[in-house]
């Protein structure tokens, strides 16, 4: 070894001494400050909890070790750099442990403690080379002695530190196991940091049973603690699969699932942990079996929290590998896994899913979701190409889905209609069980007008009626009734009538099955609307009497409405048909039914009333005064007048027609009574200003005395344009040649002229024609022209220029009355 001079050795010795002095001072300062903080902590009464007390004791122990090391440094010839730095850092960690343990305790000086901790943790001490103190022999000896001492000191220090950390961690575990709420919360915080910073090993976690302990405390903890527990478990789960498997074995999954139904933050953490655990097959099986788990996950999936929703979707996808879980998801309203199995699953999986769908009580929203998710096409494919079990399960599922209108179009586009009809015509015994659901689906499909693109589908259904069971007959009649009521089905109806559809349906009028009889009645009623003279011949007296018997029996309002509707479609001027109705004593059956349903607005009742009034038109034809009188004596007029205020537009229109027919004979009846009334004292109340005579409701069918004119005018004022023509027809009966002036004065008195002018401007051509006829008679009176001429002329001029050509002559005639047009005008 190279020899060195005395001055060199002296200089190096001074440097070593300088190191010891500077670092000794800094180390002493750290010890002094820590001691001061320790004293303050011991005096703080709020620090008296087990975890905090243990952390303070740990700080005290570290201080004692630090003071002992300081004594050794002062007597040592070489600087113990490593021991000083490690001891300083240990003191800093002890201060940090105190801060962690007391993070919820309001103690003063936390900032000072944190500042000192940071300073200690970042402290570094410089040193010179350990071989630069003396000559070779002395240096070698010193180095050997120093290395031996340093090794011994380091081993001792490491043993002490390891023992102290072990004691601290043991305390944390004890508090996690048995601590009260505050102690438990503090211990969780420390444990969370230890695990997050990888301070503890997986072996320690396993040996101490940390995972079962945390799951055990999860169910009984406060909300904040539950969130921390789940966060710790998520950290542990992210470390290795062994921890995940232990979590799946603990039986705490049920407790974890309960957190899904709690507040948003806890829910989010719980879903994240369950998603992580689902990577373990055993955990997936158990999660899916926990009651209510899938329902809550679906709710979270549909919720507003994006992270939880995303994780819930991933978890549901993972759980859906089990078919039973997919079914539970469908029951909860999440159908994508089920639809996936229908598209790509095994044959048995497809049957399982289809069978489940057929048995589920689905809301319209669920049916719509299944349709939009694509469930219908694979089900149709199963029906068309599968074996018997697949056909049955898929048809039953389609029957369930077809009850929603939105899904009908999906069905039609698959081309299923032809397959269903083919099945219904099949005589193969094994397929007979499929015919009922097939007919039910057809009945639903028929609600869409799109079915009309299939040629002769209605005729094919008709031909099946007599070859089917009652259930299938009912569904076929449902389908046919839907088809014939479509707006664009006129050609279909015509073809059905030409092919004898009504004759085919008549035997069903005596059917005991209420649904079949009602369906046949509805279908005959719809088809009979377009018939004229031939209807009476098709029905014959026998079936007319059957229809009347239906009215007098205790059947539903729907059947009564259809039966009387068929009778109302008989030709009004067919005296033979009317005689059959009169002979069967129909009026005494209809009047009580009409009287009891005047104020009932239910759709079925509304149709019944409309049809009854339609029959009354037949019983009030002007050509048969005897029949009219019989009807009036039955109390028809008061009922018809009430309908003017209470009925539907159709009922009001028909009532107005019947009243108009009665009013046409008022003048002739008044004349025939003159000789009889000549010797009878006449009541002033009976005098009619329109007919200029004494009138009564039953004697002369006088609508003025019946109080019918006021509600008629109200109908016109309400803009019920559908009734205009019929109501104006009634007013026209007050302007017959013999009484036109009285009638004009009465209409003016009832303030109806402006309303009539309005109809000339806005009404239909037929209504305009009647309004012009009435206005012309009113304007024959000069006073009326002066009163209303100015308000009418603008409308009349516009009508003359732009109105229907066939009305120009009538319009010109009134303009001439108003002296706005020459009698020789080309308008005439």
């Amino acid at each position: 070894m190279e020899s060195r001079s005395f001055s060199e050795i002296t200089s190096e010795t001074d440097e070593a001494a300088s190191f010891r002095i500077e670092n000794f001072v800094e180390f002493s300062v750290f010890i002094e400050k820590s001691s001061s903080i320790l004293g303050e902590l011991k005096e703080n009464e709020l620090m008296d909890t087990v975890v905090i007390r243990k952390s303070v004791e740990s700080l005290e122990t570290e201080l004692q070790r630090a003071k002992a090391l300081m004594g050794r440094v002062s007597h040592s010839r070489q600087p113990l750099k490593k021991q000083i730095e490690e001891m300083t850092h240990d003191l800093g960690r002890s201060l940090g442990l105190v801060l962690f343990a007391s993070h919820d305790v309001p103690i003063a000086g936390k900032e000072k403690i944190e500042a000192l901790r940071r300073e200690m943790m970042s402290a570094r001490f410089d040193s010179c080379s350990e071989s630069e103190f003396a000559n070779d022999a002395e240096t070698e000896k010193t180095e050997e002695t120093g290395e031996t001492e340093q090794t011994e000191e380091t081993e001792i220090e490491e043993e002490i530190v390891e023992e102290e950390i072990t004691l601290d961690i043991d305390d944390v575990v004890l508090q996690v196991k048995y601590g009260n709420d505050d102690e438990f919360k503090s211990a969780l915080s420390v444990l969370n940091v230890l695990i997050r910073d990888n301070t503890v090993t997986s072996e320690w976690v396993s040996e101490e049973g940390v995972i079962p302990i945390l799951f055990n405390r999860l169910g009984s903890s406060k909300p904040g603690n539950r969130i921390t527990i789940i966060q710790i478990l998520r950290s542990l789960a992210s470390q290795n699969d062994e921890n995940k498997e232990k979590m799946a074995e603990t039986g705490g999954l049920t407790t974890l699932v309960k957190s899904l139904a709690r507040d948003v933050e806890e829910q989010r953490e719980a879903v994240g942990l369950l998603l992580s655990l689902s990577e373990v097959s055993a955990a997936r099986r158990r999660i899916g079996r926990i009651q209510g788990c899938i329902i809550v996950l679906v709710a979270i999936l549909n919720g507003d929290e994006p992270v939880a929703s995303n994780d819930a979707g991933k978890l549901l996808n993972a759980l859906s590998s089990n078919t039973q879980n997919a079914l539970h998801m469908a029951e909860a309203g999440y159908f994508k896994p089920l639809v996936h199995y229908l598209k790509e699953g095994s044959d048995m999986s497809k049957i399982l899913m289809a069978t489940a769908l057929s048995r589920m009580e689905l809301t319209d929203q669920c049916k719509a979701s299944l349709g939009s998710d694509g469930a219908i096409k694979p089900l149709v494919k199963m029906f068309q190409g599968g074996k018997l079990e697949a056909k049955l399960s898929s048809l039953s599922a389609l029957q369930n889905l077809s009850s929603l209108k939105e899904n009908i179009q999906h069905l039609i586009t698959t081309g299923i209609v032809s397959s269903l009809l083919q099945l219904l015509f099949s005589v193969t015994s094994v397929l007979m069980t499929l015919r009922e659901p097939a007919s039910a689906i057809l009945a639903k499909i028929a609600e869409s007008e799109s079915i009309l693109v299939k040629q002769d589908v209605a005729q094919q259904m008709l031909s099946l009626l007599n070859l089917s069971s009652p259930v299938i007959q009912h569904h076929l009649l449902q389908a046919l009734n839907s088809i014939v009521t479509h707006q664009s089905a006129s050609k279909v109806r015509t073809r059905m009538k030409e092919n004898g559809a009504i004759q085919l349906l008549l035997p069903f009028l005596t059917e005991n099955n209420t649904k079949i009889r009602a369906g046949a009645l509805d279908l005959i009623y719809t088809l009979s609307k377009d018939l004229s003279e031939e209807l009476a011949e098709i029905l014959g007296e026998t079936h007319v009497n059957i229809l009347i018997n239906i009215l007098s029996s205790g059947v539903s309002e729907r059947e009564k409405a259809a039966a009387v509707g068929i009778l109302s479609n008989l030709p009004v001027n067919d005296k033979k048909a009317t005689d059959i109705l009169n002979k069967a004593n129909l009026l005494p059956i209809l009047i009580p039914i009409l009287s009891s349903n005047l104020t009932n607005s239910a759709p079925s009742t509304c149709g019944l009333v409309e049809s009854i009034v339609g029959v009354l038109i037949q019983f009030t034809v002007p050509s048969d005064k005897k029949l009219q009188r019989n009807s009036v004596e039955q109390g028809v007029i008061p009922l018809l007048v009430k309908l003017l205020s209470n009925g539907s537009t159709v009922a009001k229109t028909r009532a107005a027609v019947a009243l108009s027919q009665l009013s046409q004979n008022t003048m002739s009846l008044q004349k025939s009574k003159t000789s009889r009334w000549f010797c009878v004292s006449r009541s002033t109340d009976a005098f009619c200003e329109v007919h200029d005579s004494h009138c009564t409701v039953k004697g002369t069918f006088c609508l003025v005395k019946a109080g019918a004119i006021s509600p008629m005018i109200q109908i016109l004022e309400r803009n019920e344009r559908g009734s205009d023509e019929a109501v104006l027809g009634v007013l026209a009966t007050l302007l017959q040649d013999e009484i036109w002036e009285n009638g004009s004065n009465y209409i003016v008195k009832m303030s109806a002229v402006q309303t009539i002018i309005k109809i000339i401007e806005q009404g239909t051509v037929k209504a305009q024609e009647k309004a012009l006829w009435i206005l012309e008679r009113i304007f024959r009176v000069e006073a009326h022209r002066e009163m209303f001429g100015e308000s009418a002329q603008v409308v009349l001029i516009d009508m003359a220029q732009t109105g229907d050509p066939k009305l120009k002559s009538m319009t010109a005639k009134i303009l001439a009355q108003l002296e706005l047009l020459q009698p020789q005008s080309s308008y005439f």
Side-chain angles (χ1 to χ4, degrees):
M1 180 177 291
E2 187 178 305
S3 61
R4 290 175 293 175
S5 66
F6 176 77
S7 60
E8 290 174 333
I9 295 173
T10 304
S11 175
E12 292 167 0
T13 304
D14 290 341
E15 290 177 7
S18 175
F19 166 83
R20 289 197 299 271
I21 293 169
E22 291 171 0
N23 289 283
F24 178 81
V25 171
E26 186 174 359
F27 188 44
S28 299
V29 171
F30 285 145
I31 292 173
E32 184 179 349
K33 289 182 178 179
S34 299
S35 298
S36 174
I37 288 172
L38 178 63
E40 293 174 3
L41 290 172
K42 284 185 175 182
E43 293 175 0
N44 194 327
E45 296 179 356
L46 297 173
M47 305 289 286
D48 193 21
T49 64
V50 174
V51 174
I52 297 175
R53 192 164 57 249
K54 289 290 184 182
S55 66
V56 171
E57 290 173 358
S58 173
L59 174 61
E60 189 174 20
T61 302
E62 292 297 333
L63 270 172
Q64 291 173 356
R65 293 173 58 244
K67 290 175 181 177
L69 179 61
M70 187 173 66
R72 290 197 299 273
V73 170
S74 63
H75 295 89
S76 173
R77 188 177 174 185
Q78 63 172 331
L80 302 177
K81 168 186 171 294
K82 183 177 181 181
Q83 290 93 324
I84 291 174
E85 281 190 358
E86 287 183 353
M87 191 68 254
T88 303
H89 295 164
D90 286 346
L91 275 173
R93 275 191 287 271
S94 294
L95 288 172
L97 191 60
V98 170
L99 286 173
F100 278 125
S102 61
H103 72 284
D104 284 335
V105 179
I107 60 171
K110 280 190 177 183
E111 294 80 4
K112 181 175 68 175
I113 298 174
E114 174 61 19
L116 180 60
R117 182 192 72 81
R118 288 179 181 174
E119 188 179 357
M120 286 180 170
M121 294 303 293
S122 61
R124 296 291 183 270
F125 298 97
D126 297 329
S127 65
C128 301
S129 171
E130 292 179 354
S131 62
E132 297 175 356
F133 286 100
N135 58 33
D136 294 342
E138 288 179 352
T139 300
E140 289 174 4
K141 181 178 179 181
T142 303
E143 285 176 354
E144 290 176 4
T145 305
E147 287 173 2
T148 302
E149 289 178 356
Q150 182 175 354
T151 301
E152 290 176 354
E153 290 290 342
T154 301
E155 289 176 354
I156 292 170
E157 295 293 330
E158 288 175 353
E159 287 176 4
I160 293 172
V161 170
E162 182 179 351
E163 179 182 358
E164 194 59 46
I165 292 173
T166 302
L167 287 173
D168 292 341
I169 293 174
D170 288 342
D171 291 338
V172 169
V173 172
L174 283 173
Q175 294 308 316
V176 170
K177 276 185 179 180
Y178 307 114
N180 59 35
D181 288 337
D182 293 336
E183 294 168 344
F184 177 58
K185 184 176 183 179
S186 300
L188 276 181
S189 299
V190 176
L191 181 61
N192 194 15
V193 173
L194 293 174
I195 292 172
R196 185 188 63 203
D197 295 345
N198 294 318
T199 305
V200 294
T201 63
S202 298
E203 291 77 12
W204 177 85
V205 170
S206 177
E207 289 170 2
E208 294 295 333
V210 171
I211 291 173
I213 292 170
L214 291 174
F215 271 113
N216 186 53
R217 293 296 300 261
L218 181 60
S220 58
S221 296
K222 291 181 177 179
N225 291 344
R226 289 198 301 267
I227 292 171
T228 307
I229 291 172
I230 299 172
Q231 289 172 339
I232 294 171
L233 290 170
R234 290 188 70 176
S235 297
L236 292 173
S238 67
Q239 290 178 357
N240 54 62
D241 289 341
E242 184 180 347
N243 285 345
K244 294 177 184 175
E245 290 171 357
K246 287 179 181 177
M247 291 181 197
E249 294 171 357
T250 59
L253 288 175
T254 302
T255 305
L256 181 58
V257 166
K258 291 179 181 177
S259 291
L260 295 176
R262 294 192 170 115
D263 64 63
V264 174
E265 187 178 359
E266 183 174 348
Q267 181 185 86
R268 182 173 58 243
E269 296 293 340
V271 175
L273 178 54
L274 286 169
L275 177 60
S276 179
L277 297 181
S278 68
E279 296 173 7
V280 179
S281 58
R284 280 199 306 276
R285 287 196 303 274
R286 289 168 185 160
I287 292 170
R289 291 173 186 167
I290 297 172
Q291 187 175 7
C293 176
I294 288 176
I295 294 175
V296 179
L297 285 173
V298 171
I300 295 171
L301 173 68
N302 297 323
D304 298 328
E305 212 294 314
V307 175
S309 176
N310 183 59
D311 286 350
K314 292 178 181 178
L315 180 54
L316 287 167
N317 185 56
L319 297 177
S320 68
S321 59
N322 180 289
T323 55
Q324 202 62 40
N325 288 343
L327 291 177
H328 288 319
M329 292 175 199
E331 289 169 353
Y334 180 57
F335 298 104
K336 287 185 178 179
L338 180 145
V339 174
H340 174 77
Y341 277 109
L342 286 176
K343 291 178 178 178
E344 302 180 20
S346 64
D347 289 344
M348 284 309 298
S349 295
K350 291 178 180 177
I351 291 172
L352 178 65
M353 298 299 153
T355 303
L357 268 184
S358 68
R359 294 173 180 172
M360 285 182 189
E361 299 217 357
L362 299 170
T363 63
D364 286 349
Q365 185 178 356
C366 289
K367 292 173 187 176
S369 178
L370 281 160
S372 60
D373 286 346
I376 290 175
K377 189 173 181 179
L379 287 170
V380 172
K381 189 176 180 181
M382 285 176 66
F383 161 61
Q384 292 175 333
K387 295 180 180 179
L388 180 62
E389 188 177 4
K391 287 179 182 291
L392 183 59
S393 61
S394 60
L395 268 185
S396 299
L398 287 170
Q399 182 180 353
N400 199 1
L401 296 179
S402 66
S403 60
L404 182 71
K405 187 176 181 180
E406 288 88 330
N407 286 338
I408 292 174
Q409 194 57 45
H410 292 304
L411 281 166
I412 293 173
T413 55
T414 63
I416 195 175
V417 175
S418 298
S419 301
L420 294 172
L421 286 170
Q422 184 180 354
L423 174 61
L424 290 173
F425 278 108
S426 174
V427 292
T428 307
S429 58
V430 293
L431 298 178
M432 297 302 283
T433 54
L434 304 177
R435 298 180 76 211
E436 288 189 6
S439 63
I441 295 169
L442 263 180
K444 292 299 181 183
I445 292 175
E447 293 176 5
S448 169
E449 204 158 347
S450 301
I451 197 172
L452 296 176
V453 301
K454 302 294 294 182
Q455 295 295 322
D456 294 326
V457 64
Q459 199 60 42
Q460 290 182 63
M461 291 182 189
L462 272 174
S463 63
L464 285 166
L465 275 176
N466 289 321
L467 305 174
S468 306
S469 66
V471 173
I472 296 173
Q473 286 176 334
H474 167 57
H475 289 145
L476 290 174
L477 286 167
Q478 274 186 312
L480 287 165
N481 274 301
S482 294
I483 290 171
V484 298
T485 53
H486 292 313
Q487 287 187 351
S488 56
S490 58
K491 290 182 179 179
V492 174
R493 291 192 295 267
T494 300
R495 195 177 301 117
M496 289 175 68
K497 286 178 286 189
E498 290 172 350
N499 292 328
I502 293 180
Q503 290 90 331
L504 179 66
L505 293 165
L506 288 175
F508 291 104
L509 297 183
T510 56
E511 172 66 51
N512 290 326
N513 186 305
T514 303
K515 292 181 179 179
I516 295 174
R517 187 176 64 245
L521 280 164
D522 287 339
L523 189 52
I524 294 171
Y525 170 55
T526 303
L527 294 175
S528 68
K529 290 178 182 178
D530 300 326
L531 293 171
S532 54
E533 302 300 327
E534 61 264 37
L535 179 59
E537 185 179 343
I538 292 171
L539 292 177
E541 187 172 355
T542 300
H543 289 102
V544 168
N545 286 323
I546 289 173
L547 291 169
I548 294 172
N549 288 334
I550 289 173
L551 286 171
S552 59
S553 60
V555 299
S556 65
E557 296 293 295
R558 173 190 167 190
E559 289 182 71
K560 288 181 180 179
V564 75
I566 297 168
L567 296 176
S568 70
N569 288 333
L570 287 167
V572 173
N573 296 317
D574 189 336
K575 192 172 186 313
K576 184 178 178 181
T578 305
D579 288 343
I580 294 173
L581 298 178
N582 196 29
K583 182 181 175 183
N585 210 21
L586 178 60
L587 270 183
I589 298 172
L590 294 181
I591 297 300
I593 298 174
L594 178 60
S595 180
S596 62
N597 288 286
L598 278 176
T599 58
N600 194 330
S601 59
S604 60
T605 302
C606 186
L608 175 62
V609 170
E610 291 171 357
S611 295
I612 290 175
V613 184
V615 174
L616 294 182
I617 292 175
Q618 299 175 21
F619 280 86
T620 57
V621 289
S623 58
D624 193 336
K625 293 179 183 177
K626 183 178 179 181
L627 190 63
Q628 281 188 332
R629 188 170 298 283
N630 181 43
S631 301
V632 172
E633 287 176 354
Q634 297 278 348
V636 163
I637 290 180
L639 293 176
L640 293 174
V641 172
K642 286 182 180 178
L643 275 174
L644 296 175
S645 301
N646 299 321
S648 65
T649 299
V650 174
K652 290 175 181 177
T653 302
R654 291 180 177 179
V657 170
L659 289 169
S660 173
Q661 292 183 154
L662 291 167
S663 181
Q664 290 175 39
N665 284 327
T666 298
M667 283 302 299
S668 61
L669 290 172
Q670 186 268 332
K671 289 177 182 179
S672 68
K673 294 293 183 182
T674 301
S675 59
R676 293 177 56 190
W677 288 346
F678 187 76
C679 299
V680 178
S681 175
R682 301 175 182 178
S683 169
T684 56
D685 292 338
F687 187 81
C688 176
E689 59 185 291
V690 174
H691 298 109
D692 196 22
S693 181
H694 287 75
C695 292
T696 62
V697 175
K698 288 189 176 181
T700 62
F701 316 153
C702 178
L703 300 188
V704 176
K705 292 301 178 184
I709 306 305
S710 179
M712 295 270 189
I713 295 171
Q714 288 175 12
I715 291 173
L716 298 178
E717 290 173 347
R718 293 193 196 108
N719 297 321
E720 296 183 28
R721 300 281 76 93
S723 302
D724 285 349
E725 188 181 348
V727 172
L728 290 170
V730 175
L731 296 182
T733 65
L734 305 182
L735 299 169
Q736 294 172 355
D737 290 340
E738 298 170 314
I739 58 171
W740 68 266
E741 189 169 359
N742 291 341
S744 297
N745 293 333
Y746 185 75
I747 291 173
V748 170
K749 178 182 175 181
M750 298 299 291
S751 303
V753 177
Q754 292 293 355
T755 305
I756 293 169
I757 293 172
K758 185 178 179 181
I759 292 171
I760 294 173
E761 183 180 15
Q762 299 178 356
T764 63
V765 173
K766 288 186 177 180
Q768 286 174 333
E769 184 177 10
K770 288 195 174 184
L772 286 169
W773 186 90
I774 292 171
L775 193 62
E776 188 276 331
R777 297 228 159 184
I778 292 172
F779 278 0
R780 289 179 184 179
V781 179
E782 183 178 355
H784 299 162
R785 292 197 301 272
E786 292 176 357
M787 187 180 298
F788 302 106
E790 186 175 350
S791 60
Q793 65 183 20
V794 176
V795 175
L796 291 168
I797 292 171
D798 184 64
M799 174 67 68
Q801 294 173 345
T802 62
D804 192 278
K806 68 181 181 181
L807 302 180
K808 285 188 176 182
S809 177
M810 295 181 69
T811 306
K813 190 174 182 180
I814 302 174
L815 288 171
Q817 286 178 316
L818 298 175
E819 298 180 352
L820 296 172
L821 198 66
Q822 295 297 323
Q824 294 82 13
S825 172
S826 60
Y827 280 98
F828 290 96

